[in-house]
Amino acid sequence: MAQMAEDTRERWLLGLVTLLFFVFLIVPIVVVVMVSFTSATYVSFPIEGVSLRWFYRIVEYEPFANSLWVTLKVAFMSTVIAVMVGVPAALYLVRAKTPATEFLMALLLSPLSMPMIVLGLALLFYFSAIGLGISLMSLIVAHTVVGLPYVVRTVAGVYRSAPPDLEESAVILGATRWQIIRYVVLPQIRPGIFSGAMFSMLVSIDNLPVSFFFGSPSTSTLPVVMLSYLEHQFDPSIAAISTVQMSIALIGLVFIERVYGLKHLGAPA
Amino acid sequence: MGFSFMIPSLLLLVAFFIVPLVFVGEMSFREGRLPPPGGGLWQNYERLFFDSFYLGVIGETMLLSVVVTLICILVGYPVAYFMVRHAGGKLYNLIIFLLIAPLLTPIIMRTFGWQVLLARRGLVNEWLQSLDLISKPLALLNSPVAVVLGLVHVLAPFMILSIASVLAGIDRRLEESARMLGAGKGMSFLKITLPLSMDGLGTGAILVFMLANGSFVTLLLLGGGSLQTLPLLIYQQFNTTRDLPFAAAMSNALLLIAFICLFFQLRLIRRKGV
């Protein structure tokens, strides 16, 4: 009996800590969402009146609208390249059993463990040295390097749990290599490709430390413009654009949950 | 599926990841702006590791990361424990969602949220005043406190997910046996659960330490110059001083720390036998 009472006490205590932690986690985000609907011309909380004027300001203020367009272009293009390059690599690495596979996998995932500011600086130096300089293309390539590990990791995760029997049967039945990939492997790993691509896109949209080095009127992404805006002004339009950006990410997250299941994301690395 | 499947990704990484890093390595040995000409091959590193100002910056970077990591462990362990042991089904899924959703909210948004909360007339100051804990508003913003709050806010979910994934795999019969043999709740936790969850704690700590070391948005917007860290200095060197060889040397120092962390991380993964 004493043990049960002890367990209940433990549950309540830990439950309380957990609750407080999530309040801490969520309050700053909720505050920004609320501020984005303020009617005041300055940032204050609690807000005084409700209006959509700051969302209108996003459309009005050209750098926001332009950089949002750049951001989406870069996210989409870099993800397409990351998928084209990363999916075959993941397929090879899961089934190949050579001593080098572990090393190659670590190599493909290593951009994840790199301080992003180091990567940004390195790529900028390099692109300038080889004459590519700051351009939309170099920004897309930089984001591809960042997004690639996400694609490889999720696709490899899904493919690893797919039984090899189906492919073996297809081989026995005389299917060619391309037929096997097209009709047997691809349908099985589709959720992995989709989720990996989604992650790559979301990470690209919110990337600041790499994009920062590629700032120019035609290559400034939304976070870069927001940062420089915040350094000079402090008004609710940042809240409004944050709310828009978060909505995009949340919709993406719901998609990932539907297709792939968030539970699988629990384990890091 | 032959090795040819690897070639596009290897080409991409060699051309746009490895070579650029080597390039920065070479850049860091060029002549910087400040030292007198002819300062030798290692001049940028000598300046970085022997000048007391820069040494202080490196120390501050590490100290901040250690503090943030410790707080994340203290806050994260109870949450991970509750999530694995006491939250079933729906609540568990909700917690996972609540942990991952903030990871995808824009970093600027979370920083902005803290700026609003910690401002002179922000919510936190008003609460503290209405509770009569303070008489004048505190200067919370642009202080190390704000930076630590902001970093814990961003990084604690990583710690929780790392600990939870290991806690979930612990055989609970071990704890039950200990209890049956007369160990109290606290004793069985200290002698059984905590040691068995050390791998998760270690993985999480390395991850958080590494991410804290490299972070700069939080420092820039919440620190307001009250803390100087390597990424912040790189940002400034790039933005204002434009001493690129020296920025490259600092970047390499940061990379070295990341490599050391990575080394420990791989060792942990090996030991787990995954």
Side-chain angles (χ1 to χ4, degrees):
Chain A
M1 282 314 270
Q3 196 172 321
M4 261 176 76
E6 211 179 29
D7 277 351
T8 324
R9 208 172 60 210
E10 177 191 290
R11 169 174 310 177
W12 280 102
L13 207 68
L14 289 174
L16 185 69
V17 174
T18 306
L19 186 71
L20 286 175
F21 172 75
F22 280 106
V23 169
F24 163 78
L25 200 62
I26 286 160
V27 162
I29 298 166
V30 172
V31 163
V32 178
V33 173
M34 291 179 72
V35 167
S36 70
F37 289 101
T38 190
S39 58
T41 51
Y42 49 87
V43 179
S44 66
F45 191 85
I47 59 171
E48 280 147 30
V50 178
S51 89
L52 291 174
R53 60 185 287 189
W54 294 105
F55 288 92
Y56 189 65
R57 164 107 172 124
I58 302 173
V59 189
E60 244 178 18
Y61 183 66
E62 237 171 59
F64 280 155
N66 288 347
S67 64
L68 183 61
W69 177 230
V70 172
T71 307
L72 293 177
K73 253 194 310 203
V74 169
F76 181 77
M77 286 308 295
S78 64
T79 300
V80 168
I81 304 174
V83 166
M84 289 194 313
V85 168
V87 172
L91 295 185
Y92 169 79
L93 286 174
V94 169
R95 291 288 189 254
K97 291 279 170 287
T98 63
T101 36
E102 199 187 338
F103 167 77
L104 288 173
M105 187 57 117
L107 177 69
L108 287 190
L109 297 183
S110 58
L112 274 183
S113 336
M114 220 35 64
M116 281 295 131
I117 194 164
V118 171
L119 190 60
L121 192 74
L123 282 167
L124 180 71
F125 281 170
Y126 178 66
F127 281 128
S128 312
I130 62 171
L132 256 157
I134 294 175
S135 68
L136 199 63
M137 196 56 220
S138 49
L139 185 60
I140 290 172
V141 171
H143 277 234
T144 307
V145 172
V146 179
L148 182 68
Y150 292 92
V151 173
V152 172
R153 195 168 63 175
T154 32
V155 172
V158 171
Y159 191 45
R160 200 172 283 134
S161 58
D165 327 10
L166 282 175
E167 286 156 59
E168 281 157 21
S169 321
V171 173
I172 294 168
L173 292 171
T176 66
R177 205 169 87 174
W178 291 110
Q179 281 174 323
I180 294 173
I181 292 174
R182 172 72 186 78
Y183 297 106
V184 182
V185 177
L186 271 185
Q188 285 178 293
I189 58 167
R190 197 168 290 148
I193 298 178
F194 178 81
S195 313
M198 215 56 155
F199 268 115
S200 160
M201 236 172 323
L202 292 175
V203 167
S204 163
I205 289 175
D206 194 33
N207 185 301
L208 184 56
V210 170
S211 304
F212 163 75
F213 291 99
F214 292 84
S216 82
S218 62
T219 53
S220 279
T221 60
L222 184 59
V224 176
V225 169
M226 283 166 79
L227 179 66
S228 67
Y229 192 90
L230 252 187
E231 279 183 300
H232 302 114
Q233 292 166 75
F234 195 74
D235 74 35
S237 62
I238 289 291
I241 191 120
S242 293
T243 304
V244 171
Q245 204 191 334
M246 185 187 68
S247 311
I248 298 175
L250 275 183
I251 293 167
L253 189 64
V254 170
F255 267 120
I256 296 176
E257 157 74 9
R258 284 281 153 79
V259 176
Y260 181 67
L262 286 178
K263 282 193 289 290
H264 306 287
L265 302 175
Chain B
M1 279 156 262
F3 186 74
S4 58
F5 275 51
M6 279 301 297
I7 290 172
S9 57
L10 287 181
L11 284 180
L12 181 86
L13 283 189
V14 168
F16 299 113
F17 180 60
I18 296 172
V19 172
L21 288 179
V22 173
F23 194 79
V24 174
E26 193 269 336
M27 169 78 95
S28 70
F29 291 108
R30 290 191 205 170
E31 208 152 87
R33 283 217 166 160
L34 248 178
L41 194 60
W42 295 90
Q43 53 176 339
N44 291 310
Y45 291 98
E46 277 163 21
R47 189 168 149 210
L48 186 59
F49 289 111
F50 291 110
D51 185 312
S52 60
F53 172 72
Y54 294 110
L55 214 54
V57 168
I58 295 177
E60 211 156 82
T61 311
M62 303 283 245
L63 181 67
L64 174 69
S65 306
V66 169
V67 169
V68 168
T69 307
L70 286 179
I71 296 178
C72 282
I73 291 176
L74 287 178
V75 172
Y77 204 101
V79 176
Y81 194 90
F82 176 81
M83 171 181 159
V84 171
R85 293 292 166 83
H86 297 291
K90 278 214 166 114
L91 184 58
Y92 182 84
N93 286 341
L94 177 70
I95 292 181
I96 293 266
F97 182 84
L98 288 178
L99 283 175
I100 293 180
L103 295 182
L104 295 175
T105 51
I107 177 73
I108 299 253
M109 179 180 203
R110 297 200 261 171
T111 317
F112 186 76
W114 283 111
Q115 286 184 323
V116 174
L117 284 171
L118 299 176
R120 259 199 120 63
R121 290 158 157 231
L123 215 51
V124 172
N125 265 324
E126 259 170 38
W127 275 346
L128 291 177
Q129 274 179 303
S130 67
L131 291 172
D132 273 330
L133 288 171
I134 52 171
S135 52
K136 271 193 207 146
L138 299 171
L140 293 166
L141 211 56
N142 301 332
S143 75
V145 177
V147 172
V148 170
L149 273 176
L151 283 177
V152 170
H153 187 242
V154 175
L155 300 176
F158 291 101
M159 180 68 81
I160 295 173
L161 291 171
S162 302
I163 298 177
S165 69
V166 171
L167 268 183
I170 293 178
D171 188 346
R172 298 197 62 178
R173 281 171 302 185
L174 289 170
E175 290 162 38
E176 279 158 29
S177 322
R179 300 290 299 273
M180 251 160 4
L181 292 171
K185 186 101 199 161
M187 188 57 99
S188 95
F189 175 79
L190 280 179
K191 294 274 176 188
I192 310 274
T193 320
L194 190 60
L196 283 175
S197 58
M198 263 326 188
D199 275 354
L201 212 132
T203 320
I206 295 167
L207 192 65
V208 168
F209 183 84
M210 209 151 75
L211 292 170
N213 251 319
S215 66
F216 91 107
V217 183
T218 316
L219 276 141
L220 188 69
L221 293 176
L222 295 179
S226 63
L227 282 176
Q228 283 286 358
T229 65
L230 274 179
L232 212 53
L233 224 57
I234 296 175
Y235 174 89
Q236 282 160 1
Q237 290 288 334
F238 177 78
N239 236 8
T240 51
T241 332
R242 298 208 72 90
D243 185 348
L244 298 184
F246 191 51
M250 286 195 283
S251 165
N252 280 337
L254 205 58
L255 195 61
L256 181 69
I257 302 174
F259 273 136
I260 295 172
C261 291
L262 208 59
F263 171 76
F264 283 115
Q265 200 175 34
L266 283 178
R267 267 184 47 169
L268 264 178
I269 294 172
R270 286 263 164 72
R271 214 176 62 196
K272 263 188 284 183
V274 180

